[in-house]
Amino acid sequence: MKLDEKFFAEIAENYGTPLYIYDADEIRTKVNSAKQVFTGLDARIFFALKANSNPHILKLFKDLGINADVVGPVEIESAKRCGMAEMILNGNGKTTSTRDYFLNSGGKLVSMDSLEEIGLWQKSRITKFLRINPDIYAGGHPNISTGGRNHKFGVTPQEAEKVADKLSGLHVHIGSQITTTDPYEAAYSKVIQLSNRLGFSWLDIGGGWGIKYQEDELDPIEFRRRVVPILSNFKGKIVVELGRFLVATAGFLLLRVSEVKRAGKVFVVTDGGMNVLIRPAMYDAWHRISTIGPKGKLGRCDVVGPLCETGDVLAKDREMEIPEPGALLLIENTGAYGFSMASNYNGFPKPAEVMLENGKTKLIRQRETVEDLFRGIPPIL
Ligand code: LLP
């Protein structure tokens, strides 16, 4: 299927906007490329559901032999319903209900975030990992950097050593949208040295592979060349947790321009803003945007949403051919942390989601309705 302007114009006509679209073939390509990186190691890949938990996407991962990295009850339930073989439970501050939900769903692997948490799992027959904070800063934005000493995640290597007899392995995840191999080399060398000294049979190396939004991306070939030799010093089983790398490039967000406002600056106003894609507002993220339909001369504009916040921005000072009202905007690389971070802020229902597979489009989540959002509210009058 050719993902050209005509295709996107038709799909917007059929399903409406704002709309998320995912290309199944691209997900398959990414899964294969990740698998190739780890060939020769005893590694298994877990998809971080927080990046995109649409059950039809999860089914695709399941069919490709990918397991689930989950945090809360809905992710646990989604992984279970989609038949994903194994689950690892992640996150700090897991509640009693999350722990119970995981155990009752047959979950077996848990990454613990603190020494305090270990006691809470004492009686459970699970494989226990403890997350190490290696004091290494990495990631595309301070809010998605997790391996620094002042970050809330993990414990120091010295602390881990004290409780080694209660564990099966260590976990390290230093951040997201990491585009060079250096921080991985540093973090994995540190954690593998400790794992080998303590005689562990498991290791969870987290995820964080960066994709090409604008310039840099993590090169899987470079990762294989530079990082895999370090990993091969560990002789046990390896858990890999990838989110963004596997789905980001497969996703497109389609919006319609509702207004073009010229008030000093040019504001291109769309029918979805930080409520459908929060990454630009939250991490200053840059996403490629192209116009489908009527447009004018090249100029500079802010692409903004319809919410009552100045921060409701999709692109700032972007040079583009200024779209006219009614045109469509295609926002690329939105398959990860797009829909999964969408909200109902300012009273907008969440977008629909569509999957492209074998030359066909399939609705994989209906557009939310106003009525949906009143579910669970007792009668008012
Ligand atoms: N493992 C753990 C323990 C994680 O916390 C995460 C992501 C992953 C694996 C997967 O990381 P990935 O391969 O996707 O980088 N909302 C942000 C990203 C937050 C990442 C949270 N943790 C964004 O839109 O950039």
Side-chain angles (χ1 to χ4, degrees):
M1 186 180 298
K2 246 178 84 192
L3 305 188
D4 55 11
E5 293 202 357
K6 187 164 155 279
F7 166 78
F8 284 114
E10 267 174 29
I11 213 170
E13 212 47 62
N14 291 342
Y15 297 98
T17 55
L19 181 72
Y20 273 102
I21 303 154
Y22 309 110
D23 178 0
D25 278 344
E26 173 69 7
I27 295 179
R28 287 197 188 92
T29 305
K30 284 299 163 72
V31 166
N32 284 337
S33 120
K35 280 182 179 167
Q36 270 169 26
V37 167
F38 295 103
T39 46
L41 296 177
D42 187 5
R44 55 221 73 205
I45 301 176
F46 289 66
F47 172 61
L49 267 68
K50 56 178 84 70
N52 189 325
S53 57
N54 185 293
H56 289 262
I57 302 235
L58 301 183
K59 172 67 167 52
L60 187 61
F61 279 121
K62 183 242 158 197
D63 291 342
L64 295 166
I66 302 296
N67 304 293
D69 161 6
V70 295
V71 179
V74 181
E75 290 187 356
I76 296 169
E77 186 62 29
S78 305
K80 195 171 83 177
R81 288 195 194 189
C82 297
M84 297 177 91
E86 279 191 81
M87 279 189 267
I88 183 157
L89 181 63
N90 255 305
N92 66 315
K94 301 175 191 77
T95 62
T96 308
S97 66
T98 297
R99 284 197 303 274
D100 290 347
Y101 210 106
F102 183 75
L103 292 173
N104 293 334
S105 306
K108 292 278 185 293
L109 311 178
V110 177
S111 165
M112 293 167 201
D113 188 66
S114 64
L115 303 184
E116 290 78 0
E117 191 187 336
I118 298 174
L120 303 175
W121 292 97
Q122 221 163 17
K123 297 202 185 76
S124 318
R125 290 166 58 87
I126 47 166
T127 302
K128 295 172 186 156
F129 295 84
L130 181 60
R131 183 156 170 181
I132 298 293
N133 183 317
D135 196 20
I136 289 167
Y137 289 78
H141 184 272
N143 292 356
I144 55 172
S145 178
T146 53
R149 123 187 24 216
N150 57 337
H151 297 145
K152 71 170 179 172
F153 298 104
V155 303
T156 63
Q158 294 75 19
E159 284 161 340
E161 227 174 313
K162 287 191 230 150
V163 292
D165 58 320
K166 299 191 171 68
L167 304 172
S168 312
L170 302 176
H171 172 205
V172 65
H173 172 77
I174 50 178
S176 194
Q177 186 55 21
I178 300 170
T179 53
T180 61
T181 59
D182 312 10
Y184 287 113
E185 292 170 47
Y188 295 163
S189 303
K190 221 173 184 170
V191 171
I192 287 174
Q193 207 177 35
L194 183 59
S195 296
N196 287 342
R197 187 149 56 78
L198 299 173
F200 286 141
S201 52
W202 285 86
L203 173 68
D204 180 346
I205 62 166
W209 294 8
I211 64 123
K212 189 178 173 76
Y213 288 106
Q214 190 170 17
E215 283 164 353
D216 302 333
E217 65 183 321
L218 186 90
D219 178 1
I221 295 168
E222 195 65 3
F223 191 95
R224 176 151 183 92
R225 200 170 67 80
R226 301 187 64 115
V227 183
V228 168
I230 296 172
L231 294 174
S232 64
N233 293 326
F234 180 75
K235 303 299 175 209
K237 300 190 219 4
I238 296 179
V239 169
V240 185
E241 304 166 342
L242 291 176
R244 187 190 316 269
F245 177 81
L246 299 178
V247 285
T249 53
F252 301 86
L253 172 62
L254 260 186
L255 301 173
R256 202 171 285 278
V257 175
S258 21
E259 191 180 314
V260 178
K261 172 172 162 179
R262 290 183 167 82
K265 224 172 173 179
V266 181
F267 295 97
V268 174
V269 191
T270 62
D271 57 2
M274 63 192 278
N275 55 323
V276 297
L277 179 69
I278 203 170
R279 304 197 66 259
M282 198 155 168
Y283 316 112
D284 283 321
W286 189 98
H287 286 261
R288 180 182 309 286
I289 301 182
S290 46
T291 308
I292 299 169
K295 52 187 173 224
K297 283 201 212 90
L298 203 63
R300 228 167 243 288
C301 63
D302 281 7
V303 180
V304 300
L307 309 193
C308 301
E309 283 211 24
T310 304
D312 179 28
V313 171
L314 295 169
K316 244 196 153 42
D317 294 320
R318 184 68 59 92
E319 190 167 77
M320 60 195 281
E321 287 160 318
I322 307 293
E324 288 177 17
L328 290 167
L329 293 189
L330 183 70
I331 312 200
E332 292 180 36
N333 300 318
T334 47
Y337 306 110
F339 187 95
S340 67
M341 296 182 83
S343 76
N344 296 114
Y345 189 39
N346 278 213
F348 291 100
K350 287 193 195 157
E353 293 177 289
V354 163
M355 175 108 97
L356 313 181
E357 187 152 35
N358 304 325
K360 291 202 190 78
T361 61
K362 176 166 95 178
L363 184 68
I364 58 170
R365 190 190 305 267
Q366 282 180 4
R367 182 173 305 287
E368 204 168 36
T369 64
V370 171
E371 207 43 52
D372 288 339
L373 290 164
F374 280 88
R375 265 195 53 215
I377 306 218
I380 316 151
L381 298 174

